[in-house]
Amino acid sequence: MMGSSRWKIAVVAFFSFAELLMPIEADEHEHTYTDKEEVVLWMNTVGPYHNRQETYKYFSLPFCVGTKKTISHYHETLGEALQGVELEFSGLDIKFKDEVMQTTYCEIELDKAKRDAFVYAIKNHYWYQMYIDDLPIWGIVGEADENGEDHYLWTYKKLEIGFNGNRIVDVNLTSEGKVKLVPNTRIAMSYSVKWKKSDVKFEDRFDKYLDPSFFQHRIHWFSIFNSFMMVIFLVGLVSMILMRTLRKDYARYSKEEEMDDMDRDLGDEYGWKQVHGDVFRPSSHPMIFSSLIGSGCQIFSVSFIVIIVAMIEDLYTERGSMLSTAIFVYAATSPVNGYFGGSLYAKQGGRRWIKQMFIGAFLIPAMVCGTAFFINFIAMYYHASRAIPFGTMVAVCCICLFVILPLNLVGTILGRNLSGQPNFPCRVNAVPRPIPEKKWFMEPAVIVCLGGILPFGSIFIEMYFIFTSFWAYKIYYVYGFMMLVLVILCIVTVCVTIVFKDRTSFYFGYMAVFSSSLGIMCGAVGYVGTSAFVRKIYTNVKID
């Protein structure tokens, strides 16, 4: 009864967690309006145009708020909170299909401090982001004259909203009303709303924000074709070399099996057969090694599933939906980490499996959360909008403790019981075979560096497009290309492994997390492929 109750609690917690994480769907009730129904204009962030990651709250600049004080409601997912999406009500009174002529909604008492804040924003080309019905709108704060001496603020927001039936399908903003910034004056802020019919379908309303000319450029297609041809060449070359070598060795070993015991004992083993007693020897640090392999297998599973979901669903249409989906899938695939890490640790004779389970469960979360919290302190110091609230940090820690850890425990138990037996094709010698001194280019550090060049080269162009969408003003949507590149990366990694055996803080922090995760995933893929290959060739050889 006690065990049954614990499982019920775990199931309830998991589905509650899923409800928290999964983005709110664009259903009939959320994006449909009746005439005169309230339409909310949300103010999001403001920041320099040349640095997308440097964003602040919209009202960190001394803008004034509209007269309307009450709104209906606002849902925030965990993905939005982690991305720093903090929407604030504009106070503008907008109703569905109800046109508004130019109306003053507030006035700014422009003292010297407020003027200096606006001047700084204009000098640094600040722009702001707003949302209407989840559609983003961008506007510029102001501009300077040709000499850069006088600065002007755009005071009139001219909104033009397109509708198709009872849905909003298009939003455009025109900034007008250029007013010179003079201390100790009053600046009137105004807006107007014009509604127009549109033929754009609701499902296609985000198409205007995509950039097909950029993502579907010929160089993108050429890079995919080039990587694909390189994979074919590499696989063919490796297969040809290995098949010729293995066929020749198998022929020699077959002749040895026909000899009598006396002749076989007088002969010496040669080739890769002579290391059969050491090739399946446990690693020097089996706990860390198995944890890395388990984490890499989980990252691969997350990448594969999220790309599939992104190909089916338009995740870019909902704020934070990609991150929410990734977190949910990562937590749900925790048994994958436990299964592969726990089974490998058991095969290598590890006995402290609980410690290995904790390391495997928290290896990636600790790396990601540690980097995120470090960046968060910097964001809090600069009062940036990307600062993560304390409650969100607590929620992430609870996910790790009450969702990821239990599921990892389930996977570890299954892995140890189902595939934790060391069923190697040949036994491991008690005394390790002496290893000859290696050349400098065969040292592990050199092999790791050289082994990473070719796989990264195969996905370099795609990484350019992905990072451009992350660090610049693009929306990545060609997930079919991403899936193909993931397959190419895995194939190249396996082949190469067989052959070888301050704000700046934001950039380096995020890139370090991405690079480490990619390295762990590629290492796991390479190990799994190479392990299957080595096990196969030694299975076909008779060893006394």
Side-chain angles (χ1 to χ4, degrees):
M1 292 296 292
M2 183 66 67
S4 177
S5 300
R6 289 178 178 175
W7 276 109
K8 289 180 180 178
I9 293 174
V11 170
V12 171
F14 179 78
F15 282 104
S16 301
F17 157 73
E19 184 179 357
L20 169 68
L21 281 183
M22 292 307 291
I24 300 171
E25 297 295 334
D27 56 26
E28 295 289 335
H29 301 287
E30 285 191 0
H31 294 283
T32 58
Y33 298 89
T34 58
D35 291 353
K36 305 291 184 179
E37 186 178 346
E38 176 189 39
V39 177
V40 180
L41 173 63
W42 296 104
M43 316 307 293
N44 186 21
T45 57
V46 64
Y49 178 80
H50 301 292
N51 186 358
R52 180 186 178 184
Q53 303 302 314
E54 182 183 350
T55 56
Y56 308 93
K57 295 180 180 179
Y58 175 82
F59 289 109
S60 63
L61 286 180
F63 288 112
C64 54
V65 188
T67 56
K68 188 173 182 180
K69 301 300 181 183
T70 59
I71 57 173
S72 55
H73 62 277
Y74 167 59
H75 294 291
E76 184 184 51
T77 63
L78 183 62
E80 289 178 298
L82 292 174
Q83 288 183 330
V85 178
E86 187 171 348
L87 304 184
E88 299 177 279
F89 182 45
S90 63
L92 302 187
D93 190 9
I94 303 175
K95 294 182 173 62
F96 189 69
K97 295 184 183 179
D98 188 11
E99 296 201 353
V100 179
M101 303 302 293
Q102 184 174 359
T103 304
T104 299
Y105 62 89
C106 67
E107 290 186 343
I108 300 175
E109 296 283 348
L110 193 67
D111 55 19
K112 185 179 184 302
K114 292 181 180 179
R115 179 188 180 277
D116 292 343
F118 280 124
V119 169
Y120 178 84
I122 293 172
K123 284 183 177 179
N124 288 275
H125 307 284
Y126 270 41
W127 65 292
Y128 55 86
Q129 185 177 40
M130 308 181 296
Y131 284 97
I132 288 183
D133 195 51
D134 289 339
L135 291 175
I137 321 164
W138 297 277
I140 196 75
V141 172
E143 66 177 30
D145 59 6
E146 296 180 356
N147 298 325
E149 298 178 355
D150 297 327
H151 299 83
Y152 300 86
L153 182 71
W154 295 110
T155 62
Y156 177 27
K157 294 179 175 64
K158 190 176 181 181
L159 293 168
E160 188 177 81
I161 306 176
F163 65 94
N164 188 344
N166 59 352
R167 291 182 165 187
I168 295 175
V169 295
D170 188 27
V171 180
N172 291 294
L173 171 68
T174 304
S175 298
E176 297 181 359
K178 188 168 65 174
V179 176
K180 184 178 178 179
L181 294 174
V182 179
N184 302 319
T185 58
R186 297 172 67 90
I187 298 179
M189 305 295 292
S190 59
Y191 80 108
S192 67
V193 181
K194 182 180 180 181
W195 295 84
K196 65 172 185 178
K197 284 188 175 181
S198 175
D199 296 330
V200 177
K201 296 180 180 179
F202 179 80
E203 296 78 13
D204 301 330
R205 64 178 189 158
F206 269 88
D207 289 354
K208 63 176 289 188
Y209 301 103
L210 307 180
D211 191 356
S213 62
F214 177 76
F215 286 105
Q216 298 185 17
H217 195 275
R218 280 185 295 179
I219 192 173
H220 201 175
W221 287 99
F222 176 76
S223 66
I224 295 295
F225 177 77
N226 183 47
S227 300
F228 184 70
M229 295 304 297
M230 183 180 67
V231 166
I232 294 177
F233 172 76
L234 182 62
V235 171
L237 181 63
V238 172
S239 300
M240 181 184 66
I241 295 175
L242 290 178
M243 291 306 297
R244 289 184 59 184
T245 304
L246 292 176
R247 188 181 297 113
K248 187 181 299 183
D249 290 341
Y250 280 144
R252 292 177 180 175
Y253 298 152
S254 298
K255 291 181 179 179
E256 290 182 356
E257 294 177 3
E258 298 174 356
M259 300 178 183
D260 55 24
D261 294 339
M262 181 66 69
D263 294 336
R264 190 182 305 162
D265 293 336
L266 293 176
D268 293 329
E269 292 182 336
Y270 53 87
W272 47 267
K273 188 178 179 181
Q274 63 183 338
V275 295
H276 71 274
D278 297 277
V279 70
F280 295 105
R281 187 176 301 280
S283 61
S284 55
H285 301 283
M287 187 174 295
I288 295 297
F289 180 70
S290 57
S291 300
L292 287 172
I293 295 301
S295 299
C297 293
Q298 185 181 8
I299 294 175
F300 175 79
S301 303
V302 172
S303 303
F304 184 81
I305 295 174
V306 170
I307 293 176
I308 292 294
V309 173
M311 292 171 61
I312 299 174
E313 300 287 341
D314 294 331
L315 295 182
Y316 57 83
T317 62
E318 297 287 338
R319 294 184 304 271
S321 59
M322 179 63 76
L323 183 56
S324 296
T325 304
I327 295 174
F328 173 77
V329 173
Y330 182 85
T333 56
S334 295
V336 175
N337 187 339
Y339 183 88
F340 285 96
S343 62
L344 180 60
Y345 185 66
K347 288 178 181 178
Q348 297 193 350
R351 299 183 180 276
R352 304 170 65 184
W353 65 274
I354 296 180
K355 183 178 180 180
Q356 185 277 326
M357 180 202 64
F358 273 94
I359 294 177
F362 294 126
L363 180 64
I364 298 300
M367 180 182 67
V368 175
C369 293
T371 304
F373 291 164
F374 169 73
I375 295 174
N376 191 57
F377 289 133
I378 298 176
M380 294 172 62
Y381 176 80
Y382 286 100
H383 303 286
S385 65
R386 289 185 175 271
I388 303 173
F390 177 76
T392 304
M393 296 184 188
V394 175
V396 172
C397 294
C398 291
I399 291 172
C400 295
L401 289 175
F402 301 114
V403 179
I404 294 178
L405 182 60
L407 293 180
N408 201 289
L409 172 61
V410 172
T412 302
I413 294 175
L414 292 176
R416 291 180 60 85
N417 292 322
L418 297 181
S419 60
Q421 300 300 321
N423 54 343
F424 302 126
C426 42
R427 62 179 180 270
V428 178
N429 292 337
V431 180
R433 187 185 184 92
I435 301 176
E437 185 177 353
K438 299 186 292 291
K439 300 291 185 180
W440 65 270
F441 53 83
M442 292 300 294
E443 293 294 332
V446 178
I447 292 178
V448 168
C449 294
L450 294 179
I453 292 176
L454 192 57
F456 182 77
S458 65
I459 63 169
F460 175 77
I461 298 297
E462 193 64 28
M463 291 297 101
Y464 165 75
F465 287 101
I466 294 174
F467 289 147
T468 299
S469 65
F470 183 78
W471 296 108
Y473 305 100
K474 303 288 184 183
I475 297 178
Y476 188 89
Y477 66 96
V478 283
Y479 295 103
F481 282 160
M482 184 183 288
M483 174 58 71
L484 182 59
V485 167
L486 178 65
V487 174
I488 291 174
L489 175 65
C490 293
I491 296 175
V492 173
T493 301
V494 171
C495 291
V496 171
T497 310
I498 292 176
V499 173
F500 277 107
K501 293 297 160 248
D502 44 47
R503 304 205 193 283
T504 306
S505 301
F506 281 74
Y507 175 79
F508 284 107
Y510 288 131
M511 293 302 294
V513 170
F514 176 82
S515 301
S516 301
S517 302
L518 184 64
I520 293 173
M521 185 190 76
C522 291
V525 171
Y527 171 79
V528 171
T530 306
S531 178
F533 169 76
V534 173
R535 182 181 292 270
K536 180 66 175 177
I537 65 174
Y538 278 97
T539 303
N540 296 329
V541 175
K542 182 179 180 181
I543 298 174
D544 295 333

